C-alpha cells in the first residue's frame, strides 16, 4: 500500500512539471536548404545583416519582411518572421531571438532555412518567397483518436470549429480563432498573404488536417504560409508541446491505481469498524 501512495504523490508532483513544458517557445520543426554558402561570401554578409534587421524589427512588430543586398546586390537574401498575432511584443521578441539562435545552430551556412517555434516562425532564403502563397504541408502532429461516446459528436464539432476559421470575411486578419462545443481552433497566416490568400491557405490546412489526422481529438498542421491547430477541451490539453504522452498516461494510470487503493483501505476500515461494533 505504501508503495502505491508514494507513487501517487510522485505522479502528482510530476503533473506541474509536465504542464511547464507547454511553452510558447517550444520547438516545432525546422528546415534547412541542402546548399551551403561559402564562408565569408557576400551572400553570407547579406544573410547576417538580414537576420540582424529582422531581430530589430521583432522589438516592435509581430510581423516583418526584409531583403538585404548591402554586401552584394547580385546576391540578395530574403527573409521574414511572423509571431502569433495576439502575442505581446516582448514575448514575440524573445521567441524570435530563440528562433534565430536555433536556426544558426540547426542550419549552419545554409543558403536558406526556416524554424517554427510554438508561437513564432522565421525564414530566410536566396530566392524571394515574400508575398507568395505556399500551401505545402511541412509538418503535422496528430493527437489521440477519439473514443467512446465522445467520438460520436466530436467530428461535427471539429468540422464546425475548423469551418469557422475559413468563413472569416475577406478582411479577416492573419490570426483567427474559432470553436464549436468542446472543440477550439486557431489559425495563423504569415503576414505577407492577402486576406483572401490567407483564407485559401487555411482552407487547404483544414482539408489536409482532416486527411492526415482523421480521427484525432486534436491536431496541428503547418503549411508553407499558415498553420492551424484544433484541440478538444479536456481530451487534448497539451496541444503545443513535446510532452511524453506515455509519461502522462502512466501518471494518470498510477493516479487511478492510487485512488482504487484508497477506496480499498477505506472499505476495509469500514468493515473493521463495523465488525468492531458488532463484538
Ligand atoms: C514588406 O515590408 C515592407 C516594409 O518593410 C512593407 O511595406 C511591405 O508591405 C511588406 N511586404 C509584404 C508582402 O508584406
Amino acid at each position: 500500500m505504501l508503495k502505491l501512495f508514494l507513487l501517487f504523490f510522485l505522479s502528482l508532483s510530476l503533473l506541474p512539471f509536465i504542464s511547464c513544458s507547454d511553452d510558447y517557445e517550444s520547438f516545432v520543426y525546422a528546415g534547412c536548404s541542402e546548399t551551403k554558402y561559402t564562408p565569408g561570401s557576400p551572400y553570407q554578409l547579406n544573410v547576417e545583416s538580414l537576420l540582424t534587421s529582422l531581430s530589430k524589427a521583432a522589438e516592435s512588430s509581430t510581423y516583418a519582411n526584409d531583403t538585404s543586398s548591402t554586401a552584394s546586390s547580385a546576391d540578395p537574401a530574403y527573409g521574414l518572421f511572423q509571431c502569433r498575432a495576439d502575442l505581446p511584443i516582448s514575448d514575440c521578441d524573445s521567441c524570435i531571438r530563440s528562433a534565430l539562435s536555433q536556426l544558426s545552430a540547426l542550419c549552419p551556412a545554409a543558403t536558406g532555412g526556416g524554424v517554427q517555434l510554438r508561437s513564432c516562425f522565421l525564414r530566410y532564403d536566396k530566392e524571394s518567397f515574400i508575398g507568395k502563397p505556399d500551401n505545402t504541408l511541412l509538418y503535422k502532429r496528430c493527437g489521440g483518436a477519439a473514443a467512446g461516446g465522445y467520438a460520436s459528436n466530436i467530428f461535427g464539432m471539429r468540422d464546425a470549429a475548423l469551418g469557422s476559421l475559413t468563413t472569416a470575411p475577406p478582411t479577416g486578419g492573419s490570426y483567427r480563432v474559432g470553436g464549436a462545443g468542446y472543440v477550439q481552433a486557431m489559425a495563423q497566416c504569415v503576414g505577407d498573404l492577402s486576406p483572401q490568400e490567407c483564407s485559401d491557405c487555411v482552407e487547404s490546412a483544414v482539408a489536409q488536417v482532416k486527411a492526415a489526422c482523421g480521427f484525432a481529438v486534436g491536431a496541428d498542421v503547418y503549411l508553407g504560409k499558415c498553420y492551424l491547430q484544433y484541440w478538444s477541451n479536456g481530451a487534448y490539453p497539451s496541444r503545443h508541446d513535446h510532452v511524453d504522452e506515455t509519461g502522462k498516461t502512466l501518471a494518470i494510470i498510477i493516479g487511478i491505481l492510487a485512488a482504487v487503493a484508497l477506496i480499498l483501505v477505506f472499505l476495509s476500515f469500514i468493515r473493521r469498524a463495523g465488525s468492531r461494533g458488532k463484538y
Side-chain angles (χ1 to χ4, degrees):
M1 274 317 160
L2 188 66
K3 213 181 272 174
L4 274 173
F5 282 109
L6 273 176
L7 281 171
F8 181 53
F9 288 117
L10 190 73
S11 71
L12 275 185
S13 62
L14 266 171
L15 289 175
F17 208 68
I18 286 167
S19 52
C20 262
S21 61
D22 190 17
D23 191 308
Y24 65 89
E25 285 177 25
S26 56
F27 180 82
V28 179
Y29 75 85
C32 319
S33 67
E34 280 177 6
T35 53
K36 303 252 179 194
Y37 54 68
T38 317
S41 62
Y43 181 70
Q44 175 178 13
L45 300 177
N46 282 340
V47 168
E48 281 166 3
S49 85
L50 170 79
L51 297 181
T52 307
S53 109
L54 289 178
S55 92
K56 277 219 182 74
E59 290 167 9
S60 60
S61 168
T62 55
Y63 161 75
N65 75 80
D66 203 5
T67 305
S68 173
S69 52
T70 40
S72 153
S73 54
D75 269 330
Y78 304 89
L80 54 73
F81 73 83
Q82 174 73 59
C83 288
R84 214 178 63 207
D86 66 329
L87 204 65
I89 291 289
S90 58
D91 291 343
C92 176
D93 186 26
S94 133
C95 192
I96 293 299
R97 268 169 219 280
S98 172
L100 279 168
S101 71
Q102 299 199 41
L103 194 59
S104 59
L106 293 167
C107 304
T111 55
V115 60
Q116 174 80 55
L117 305 185
R118 186 184 140 197
S119 57
C120 69
F121 170 74
L122 182 130
R123 184 182 161 192
Y124 73 93
D125 214 336
K126 212 173 165 55
E127 313 285 332
S128 177
F129 57 95
I130 297 163
K132 292 182 184 154
D134 180 359
N135 299 349
T136 318
L137 179 63
L138 296 177
Y139 184 78
K140 70 174 191 323
R141 194 155 52 181
C142 306
Y150 196 63
S152 54
N153 49 14
I154 187 134
F155 298 114
M157 292 176 190
R158 176 201 62 186
D159 292 351
L162 294 179
S164 69
L165 300 176
T166 54
T167 54
T171 50
S174 67
Y175 174 63
R176 301 168 181 201
V177 289
Y182 304 131
V183 180
Q184 322 245 284
M186 64 87 50
Q188 174 72 60
C189 292
V190 178
D192 61 337
L193 296 189
S194 72
Q196 185 56 53
E197 289 166 339
C198 177
S199 288
D200 291 347
C201 191
V202 173
E203 218 162 285
S204 170
V206 168
Q208 299 196 58
V209 80
K210 286 185 191 174
C213 305
F215 299 103
V217 292
D220 305 346
V221 283
Y222 295 84
L223 276 50
K225 283 289 173 79
C226 69
Y227 69 90
L228 173 157
Q229 305 175 326
Y230 75 89
W231 62 98
S232 314
N233 288 337
Y236 190 54
S238 54
R239 62 192 202 274
H240 300 294
D241 50 23
H242 281 258
V243 167
D244 172 11
E245 291 288 337
T246 24
K248 201 185 289 179
T249 311
L250 193 67
I252 291 167
I253 290 172
I254 290 168
I256 291 170
L257 281 178
V260 168
L262 269 175
I263 291 167
L264 285 178
V265 167
F266 184 64
L267 285 179
S268 76
F269 175 77
I270 288 184
R271 199 175 303 156
R272 228 176 297 155
S275 49
R276 212 173 285 151
K278 240 180 246 170
Y279 293 101

